Each structure stands twice: as C-alpha cells, then as structure tokens.
C-alpha cells in the first residue's frame, strides 16, 4: 500500500487518484493473490479496488462480511465460481468416509 502522511507533498500518492497518470508514469497499484483455489497467472480485466479486498478475504476465510462494506468479492480470481460449494462437498465426503470407518 502506498500512502502519504502529508499528501500535499510532491503531488504524489495521497493527492491524486491511484488510477491517474502523472508525467511519464502512473501510480497504478498492484494486488496479488495466491493459494488454493486462486487462478495462477491471471491478470484480471476489471479494476480491483481497495474496497474489494475486505469482502474477498472475508469470503475466502468464511468470516462475516461487515455490514457497511462497499466492495465486491473478486470471484474472477477464483479457479471455480463455486469454490465454497466444492469445499463443502469435499468436507461432507470426507466426513461420510470417516463415519463409515468408525462404524466398521
């Protein structure tokens, strides 16, 4: 994350939008995710905003999403649109196999 304690200093980072261009360069931020269920080498076509990070992390961690969250889950970054359903089915299959072995 880039921020400025005194945003007026140098007209950089805090004083302009992160999607703006300034002179020969830009301040476009980089967001990177990795882990199980995350697409490898994906460059998303849609903009990813800072407000999207909290709902995405909450979704992946099975944490409650704050009521006043403004962003959206970055579903485009997942290998499957049904990642949570698939995880639940995998857990249910494992539980059924464990219960079957315990009964034997």
């Amino acid at each position: 994350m880039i921020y400025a304690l005194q945003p007026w200093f140098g007209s950089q980072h805090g004083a302009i939008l992160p999607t703006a261009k300034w002179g020969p360069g830009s301040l476009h931020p980089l967001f990177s995710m990795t882990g199980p269920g995350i697409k490898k080498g994906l460059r998303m076509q849609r903009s990813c905003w800072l407000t999207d990070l909290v709902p995405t992390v909450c979704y992946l961690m099975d944490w409650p999403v704050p009521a006043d969250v403004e962003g959206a889950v970055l579903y485009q970054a997942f290998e499957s649109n049904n990642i949570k359903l698939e995880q639940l089915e995998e857990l249910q299959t494992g539980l059924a196999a464990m219960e079957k072995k315990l009964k034997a």
Side-chain angles (χ1 to χ4, degrees):
M1 236 181 265
I2 298 175
Y3 64 93
L5 295 176
Q6 297 175 336
W8 57 88
F9 180 75
S11 296
Q12 296 184 49
H13 306 310
I16 61 176
L17 295 172
T19 56
K21 294 190 178 192
W22 181 263
S26 72
L27 294 174
H28 291 178
L30 170 70
F31 173 64
S32 179
M33 291 192 325
T34 187
I38 304 299
K39 289 180 182 174
K40 312 274 187 277
L42 170 71
R43 182 174 183 167
M44 289 182 25
Q45 297 303 308
R46 85 180 220 17
S47 295
C48 170
W49 299 97
L50 186 59
T51 55
D52 296 331
L53 302 184
V54 168
T56 301
V57 170
C58 288
Y59 177 80
L60 288 171
M61 299 298 295
D62 291 325
W63 293 342
V65 177
D68 59 349
V69 75
E70 295 181 5
V73 175
L74 298 170
Y75 292 105
Q76 298 88 343
F78 304 151
E79 289 177 348
S80 168
N81 293 336
N82 298 310
I83 188 171
K84 291 308 208 174
L85 181 60
E86 291 167 4
Q87 289 174 346
L88 180 59
E89 288 173 353
E90 184 178 341
L91 288 170
Q92 289 172 333
T93 301
L95 177 62
M98 184 177 66
E99 288 174 338
K100 183 177 179 181
K101 287 185 179 185
L102 287 173
K103 288 181 182 177

